[in-house]
């Protein structure tokens, strides 16, 4: 049992010192296989058999479609709609950023792509309207992980694949938690800025004129908004599998980016293809190594060891779940969302099931935890990215970030964890038990 604990320490240590994630997993795998006297002949087929599935084709296709929509200037019409509707509120442009991030996140499925695209469009507008730069950077960083929750989400495809669950149910499990985060972020943002007199609001306009402008901008945004409708409608209508839907999304994004929004050209189209290939290669290598490592962890009864350790602290399932949440937040702080779900699912899901958590419910818990981990200081990869894009000092973003986490992400996490209906109602209502 000592060797599995050493393997876990090797994994965590290499991650903390900045070793690339695939190499960190590989180091732990090699150590555990060598000192555990496992034969490579028995382990390599495990990784191959796990990866030999059509479901995984959805990952590069969703990465490709998200990259195409990011380069295709899709964020502009989405931001314009939200700005028209909420611009008359003090702090309303921040609400527009939250909503635009949620919609774009549903299209791209990537937190980093959402932040890059929405931030590039919205940061200049926020600065022009007098919003504190640190607050703006914090708000959009905290909104970016909505792409992990609002379906379709590559994160949930990976979770469903590792856990051998329905992709559709995992998609639906994160919808209501994602909407809760949207509402709480918007309210917290408005409360934080309610006394800020430096913010410039939209001039008063007759309701009919606002409706007319909104209708015009909605028409411009319709090709972009149709993308998640086509994907989710095709999946839930039984017309397409998630993999087929990902392929349709990638094909649909090409004419939309080239001909409608005109953000795509031959150069950035080629760049997207290269970025997709590189990202896919990294993800697939990581999947192969992680599948072998997770099998070794199971052979060594690591979930049982962790559960026994947690029960030595408390036998209460609510307390155990709280400790699992803390662990998942730390994982989200140390690594990207793909690595986080691949590490957490095989190790923590058996523990959650043992204390009575439904695996579909755990999908929502994991999604909210990893999203919150990506914005939680001191590591907070999305927060540093947001600071770079907005040119805000990182120390000016820390205070607003902690307030937004406390006002939105933390309550959403507690609600998702301890009120199972929040995650299970939609999957059960639409797809049955």
């Amino acid at each position: 049992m000592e060797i599995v604990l050493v393997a876990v320490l090797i994994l965590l240590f290499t991650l903390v010192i900045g070793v690339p994630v695939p190499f960190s997993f590989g180091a732990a795998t090699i150590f555990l296989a060598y000192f555990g006297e496992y034969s490579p002949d028995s382990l390599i087929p495990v990784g191959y058999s796990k990866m030999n599935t059509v479901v995984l084709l959805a990952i590069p296709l969703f990465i490709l479609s998200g990259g195409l929509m990011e380069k295709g200037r899709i964020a502009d019409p989405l931001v314009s709609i939200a700005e028209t509707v909420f611009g008359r509120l003090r702090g309303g442009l921040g609400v527009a950023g939250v909503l635009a991030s949620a919609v774009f996140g549903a299209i791209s499925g990537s937190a980093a792509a959402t932040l890059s695209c929405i931030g590039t469009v919205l940061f200049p507008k926020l600065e022009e309207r007098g919003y504190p730069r640190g607050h703006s950077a914090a708000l959009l960083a905290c909104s970016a992980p909505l792409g992990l929750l609002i379906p379709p989400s590559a994160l949930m495809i990976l979770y469903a694949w590792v856990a051998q669950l329905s992709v559709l149910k995992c998609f639906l499990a994160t919808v209501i938690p994602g909407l809760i985060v949207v509402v709480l972020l918007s309210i917290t943002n408005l409360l934080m800025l309610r006394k800020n007199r430096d913010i410039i609001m939209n001039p008063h306009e007759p309701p009919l004129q606002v409706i007319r402008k909104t209708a015009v901008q909605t028409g411009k945004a319709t090709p972009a908004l149709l993308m998640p409708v086509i994907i989710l409608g095709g999946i839930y209508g039984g017309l397409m599998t998630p993999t087929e839907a990902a392929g349709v999304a990638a094909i649909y994004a090409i004419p939309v980016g080239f001909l409608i929004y005109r953000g795509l050209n031959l150069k950035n189209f080629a760049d997207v293809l290269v970025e997709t290939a590189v990202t896919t290669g990294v993800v697939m290598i990581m999947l192969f190594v992680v599948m072998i490592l997770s099998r070794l962890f199971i052979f060594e009864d690591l979930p049982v060891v962790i559960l026994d350790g947690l029960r030595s602290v408390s036998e209460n399932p609510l307390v155990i779940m709280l400790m699992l949440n803390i662990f998942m937040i730390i994982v989200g702080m140390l690594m990207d969302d793909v690595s986080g779900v691949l590490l957490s699912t095989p190790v923590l899901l058996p523990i959650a099931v043992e204390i009575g958590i439904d695996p579909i419910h755990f999908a929502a818990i994991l999604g909210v935890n990893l999203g919150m981990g990506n914005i939680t200081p001191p590591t907070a990869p999305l927060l540093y990215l947001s600071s770079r894009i907005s040119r805000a000092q990182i120390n000016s973003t820390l205070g607003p970030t902690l307030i937004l986490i406390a006002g939105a992400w933390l309550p959403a996490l507690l609600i998702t964890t301890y009120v199972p209906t929040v995650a299970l109602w939609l999957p059960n209502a639409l797809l049955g038990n």
Side-chain angles (χ1 to χ4, degrees):
M1 189 53 61
E2 290 78 8
I3 62 169
V4 72
L5 296 179
V6 174
V8 172
L9 291 175
I10 290 173
L11 175 61
L12 296 177
F13 176 74
T14 51
L15 288 171
V16 169
I17 65 175
V19 175
V21 174
F23 294 116
S24 298
F25 281 110
T29 302
I30 292 171
F31 173 85
L32 195 53
Y34 180 80
F35 287 97
E37 298 182 354
Y38 293 98
S39 168
D41 294 339
S42 64
L43 294 178
I44 292 177
V46 170
Y48 175 78
S49 63
K50 285 284 188 179
M51 295 183 65
N52 188 22
T53 172
V54 176
V55 173
L56 287 183
L57 287 176
I59 303 301
L61 291 171
F62 272 127
I63 293 172
L64 175 61
S65 63
L68 293 173
M69 298 305 271
E70 179 187 358
K71 302 293 186 184
R73 294 180 183 169
I74 185 178
D76 298 54
L78 298 178
V79 171
S80 297
I81 294 173
E83 182 183 2
T84 301
V85 175
F86 295 98
R88 291 173 55 190
L89 297 174
R90 192 178 303 279
L93 193 57
V95 175
V98 174
L99 296 176
S101 296
V103 175
F104 189 85
I107 296 170
S108 71
S110 165
T114 299
L115 179 55
S116 299
C117 197
I118 299 296
T120 302
V121 175
L122 200 56
F123 279 132
K125 293 178 179 286
L126 290 165
E127 188 166 8
E128 182 182 314
R129 296 293 185 90
Y131 284 73
R133 188 177 290 181
H135 176 90
S136 301
L139 180 63
L140 292 192
C142 290
S143 303
L146 292 169
L148 309 179
L149 301 179
I150 308 295
S153 166
L155 186 74
M156 287 299 107
I157 293 175
L158 283 175
Y159 173 82
W161 169 67
V162 175
Q164 298 295 296
L165 298 170
S166 164
V167 174
L168 303 186
K169 287 190 174 183
C170 293
F171 275 178
L172 290 171
T174 57
V175 172
I176 294 180
L179 295 177
I180 290 173
V181 175
V182 169
V183 172
L184 292 179
L185 277 176
S186 300
I187 293 173
T188 306
N189 164 71
L190 293 174
L191 291 175
M192 292 171 69
L193 298 176
R194 69 189 186 281
K195 294 182 179 179
N196 191 322
R197 299 300 171 185
D198 295 329
I199 293 175
I200 302 171
M201 298 176 287
N202 284 356
H204 178 77
E205 294 178 319
L208 190 60
Q209 186 174 346
V210 173
I211 293 173
R212 188 181 298 114
K213 287 176 64 176
T214 304
V216 171
Q217 290 161 352
T218 302
K220 293 179 181 178
T222 296
L225 295 172
L226 280 177
M227 189 172 180
V229 173
I230 293 171
I231 296 171
L232 297 177
I235 294 174
Y236 296 128
L239 302 176
M240 296 180 282
T241 66
T243 303
E244 292 166 344
V248 170
I251 294 172
Y252 177 80
I254 295 173
V256 169
F258 271 110
L259 304 177
I260 298 177
Y261 295 116
R262 301 181 183 275
L264 280 178
N265 53 50
L266 292 178
K267 183 182 183 304
N268 58 23
F269 179 69
D271 291 341
V272 170
L273 294 179
V274 171
E275 290 170 8
T276 300
V278 172
T279 304
T280 301
V282 172
V283 169
M284 291 306 166
I285 292 173
M286 188 161 52
L287 290 178
F288 181 78
V289 176
V290 169
M291 286 302 97
I292 297 175
L293 181 59
S294 64
R295 177 59 63 92
L296 292 174
F297 282 159
I298 299 301
F299 284 159
E300 296 290 335
D301 286 333
L302 179 61
V304 175
V305 173
I306 294 175
L307 182 58
D308 289 343
L310 295 177
R311 280 180 168 161
S312 68
V313 177
S314 173
E315 289 282 346
N316 190 327
L318 300 181
V319 177
I320 293 176
M321 199 60 236
L322 177 62
M323 290 187 283
L324 291 182
N325 279 335
I326 294 172
F327 177 82
M328 285 183 278
I329 292 172
I330 294 172
V331 167
M333 293 167 60
L334 293 176
M335 60 184 72
D336 62 274
D337 46 8
V338 172
S339 309
V341 75
L342 291 176
L343 174 63
S344 301
T345 304
V347 175
L348 300 186
L349 180 58
I351 300 173
V353 171
E354 181 68 24
I355 62 175
I357 302 294
D358 187 287
I360 300 298
H361 178 199
F362 190 73
I365 296 172
L366 180 61
V368 177
N369 269 296
L370 294 181
M372 183 172 164
N374 278 325
I375 57 172
T376 301
T379 51
L382 289 177
L383 192 58
Y384 288 103
L385 175 60
S386 184
S387 297
R388 286 202 304 270
I389 296 173
S390 65
R391 302 188 306 278
Q393 295 294 323
I394 190 65
N395 58 352
S396 69
T397 66
L398 293 178
T401 298
L402 293 176
I403 295 173
L404 290 165
I405 290 174
W409 280 95
L410 186 57
L413 174 59
L414 295 175
I415 293 170
T416 301
T417 301
Y418 295 116
V419 186
T421 309
V422 167
L424 296 176
W425 181 77
L426 266 183
N428 292 339
L430 297 182
L431 301 177
N433 295 314

